[in-house]
Every structure is written in C-alpha cells, then in structure tokens.
Amino acid sequence: MPIGEGRTILAIESSCDETAAAVLTGDELRSNVIAGQDVHARWGGVVPELASRAHQENIVPVVHQALEDAGIDRHELDAIAFTQGPGLMGALLVGTCFARSMARSLEIPMVAVDHIRAHALAHFIKDATHRPVPVFPYLNLTVSGGHTLIVVVHAADRMEVLGTTLDDAAGEAFDKGAKLMGLPYPGGPEIDRLASAGDPKAFRLSKPRVEGMDMSFSGVKSSFRQLCLKLEGERPGSVALQKNDLAAVLQHTILNILLGRVEMAVESTGITQVAISGGVSANSGLRARLSQLAERKGWSVFIPPMVYCTDNAAMIGIAGQFLLDAGITSPLDTVPLARTL
Ligand code: KG4
Ligand code: ZN
C-alpha cells in the first residue's frame, strides 16, 4: 500500500527554534516552509521564552505560505500532523494549540507525532531527488542539538532504542566547544568549516568510558575546555591562532564516539542499512567517514538532503502519514509532551 494513500495533510513543527509547516499528498512533498529565529544568536543558545513568542508570531504566516506554495486551499486538507514532543513546552504549545484549533474548525482528524521518531523517518519524504529509501528494519542514528540516539527502526511505529547519550547531545558538544573558542551559535557548522583545514591529531582529548551502546559527550567538552585554558595560559591568543586544529580535534573526537557506536550497532544486530538524521548529519566529516566505512564494510547508507536533516515539518508530515495509515489519530484535547521515548 502506498504511504499516505493519496491523503493530503498539513504538518506543523514547533519543538525548538524553527517554526515550520509542510503539505504532503501521500509521501510526496508539496511544500516545505521553515522560519528560523535569529533572536537567540546573541544569547549563545535557545532562550525558551523568546522561542515561544517567535513561534506565535510565525505560525500563521508559515502555515499560509505552506498552503500557498502547495497551491491548495485549507478545505482540501484531509488531516493535520503536529509535533507533540519532545521539545520546549512553550514552543510545543504554540504548534499543538494551532493544530487543535485548525483541525476543529475544518472538522478533520489530527495526529500527534513524536519529533525523534520523525527524524528517523525523514528518509521516506518523496521529492524530485528520487533517492533510494531504506527497507525496514534499518538502523538510524539521530544526531542533533537536542538528541543523540541510535535506534533500530523495525517499522514506522516500532523503534527499538539501542543507545542514547547519557548527558549532552552531540550537537551540544559541537556548540559548547565552539562557544569555548569564541565562535557564534550554533557552532556546529563553523567547527565543520574550520576542521577541514585542521589536523585532527594535533591534540588529544579524553575518551568517555561508557558501557554498551550509550554515549557521553560531557567529558569531551570538559577535556576540550581544559585544553583551551591550558593553551591560553601558555600563550594568550593561541586558541584563535590554532582554531583549525582545535576544531578538527573536537570534531574527530565526537565522530569517533558516534561512528564507534554505529559499528557496534551493525555488529550486534546484523543490520547493514545505516541511516542518519538530525542537524549534525550535515557535518561533512561525518558524511565522509560514514561513507568510507560503509564502502569498506559493504553497508548501505541513507542520508536525507540537508533540509530534511535539520528540524522541519516535512518529516512530521511523513511520520503523520504512517500513523494515519495505521489508523491512528489523536483526540482534539491532546497536550504537548516535553519528553517522550
Ligand atoms: O536538528 P537540528 O536542526 O535541531 C535540533 O537540535 O533538534 O540540529 C541543530 C544542531 C546544532 O547543534 C548545530 O550545531 C548542529 O546541529 N549542526 C552541525 C552542523 N550543522 C548543524 N554540527 C556539526 N556540523 C555541522 N555541519
Ligand atoms: Zn530535531
């Protein structure tokens, strides 16, 4: 049966600092609108209260734009999917309340979607790129600023968590490391850029000792802080002077942790389809090393286009279609959940 059975849905994402809306018919993406929030840059991280206010300002124009780009009227919608969680409570409330009122006024069903599960299903969004899609079961590493976990996706509604971070998310480790170097938020893209010109072996950072497939990044961050302090203590200005090497070392250490867990996951499950998603999957080092590893080991790798890796509503839409296919809808009094899984 084709995903979504020709059903047209509006999807809304508002879990963190992006207000996003998308329209899908079946698995085909018809529009995808994302409004970022510049208000956080000067604070070096997302400020929850500012995020909620920006979502309130953005949600109506973003939804209008998504319908207009798709060339449809709201009365042509068959259902609404929205992010129920996890995320910032105030931010989730904006999307949830909007979805509730719109579903009620149009008298159509709505479906609550788990943001983390949606990241792992982003591979199925169909667009002009016509890329291959994984076949269930596959492994998915979701790496973003808020989450880091590796799961077996047995089916759209059945995911088994193999390992998760015990402290910071991988994206947070990039962002906090970048902040220590005086780089702007979010630091991941900047570290990626600098790392390409640096030597990943120039310094050594301590490695976390974590059992099984769980991960830890807070020790990497502390070890990186100590390294920066030591360098500055020896010679003021050296962090800026050696920023390429420092970025390369930080990135290399984070990627070693992630790729080590991917290898363990393949070995323990025997599943050789490896998919990645989340903002950190934009990292050029991660993409290159994963592709090399896959070629050596004979794995298939799935990395969605960047716009579906970072937070977006298209992934909420595809996850919503899978749920609706399974006959799942949510009551109109559904409330957001700050934590799930
Ligand atoms: O998925 P996402 O847009 O939002 C959530 O956190 O859910 O991920 C944002 C994270 C940030 O921590 C950002 O620094 C990181 O993804 N990121 C990167 C790169 N691009 C974005 N990290 C490393 N290298 C990149 N090129
Ligand atoms: Zn996310």
Side-chain angles (χ1 to χ4, degrees), residues 189-318:
E190 193 66 3
I191 295 283
D192 190 356
R193 199 180 58 79
L194 297 173
S196 61
D199 172 11
K201 303 255 161 66
F203 308 103
R204 277 179 72 90
L205 297 178
S206 67
K207 280 199 210 115
R209 279 172 222 268
V210 180
E211 293 290 310
M213 274 182 261
D214 283 336
M215 294 160 260
S216 164
F217 295 94
S218 73
V220 173
K221 179 193 64 191
S222 308
S223 164
F224 190 68
R225 180 192 288 121
Q226 273 153 17
L227 172 63
C228 291
L229 288 173
K230 182 172 151 274
L231 291 173
E232 279 297 309
E234 284 166 8
R235 193 160 149 236
S238 14
V239 166
L241 276 173
Q242 300 184 73
K243 60 181 192 279
N244 293 347
D245 285 347
L246 284 166
V249 167
L250 177 67
Q251 177 166 306
H252 188 72
T253 312
I254 295 171
L255 299 191
N256 282 350
I257 299 173
L258 295 173
L259 292 167
R261 288 314 190 242
V262 169
E263 263 193 275
M264 274 173 90
V266 172
E267 271 162 30
S268 77
T269 60
I271 299 172
T272 55
Q273 293 181 97
V274 178
I276 58 171
S277 52
V280 179
S281 48
N283 187 269
S284 54
L286 177 59
R287 285 173 175 241
R289 284 181 59 183
L290 182 62
S291 304
Q292 283 158 12
L293 196 58
E295 212 174 296
R296 219 173 54 231
K297 305 249 181 190
W299 307 343
S300 322
V301 169
F302 303 87
I303 310 175
M306 216 25 242
V307 54
Y308 313 139
C309 280
T310 49
D311 285 352
N312 67 90
M315 69 179 191
I316 303 300
I318 199 78

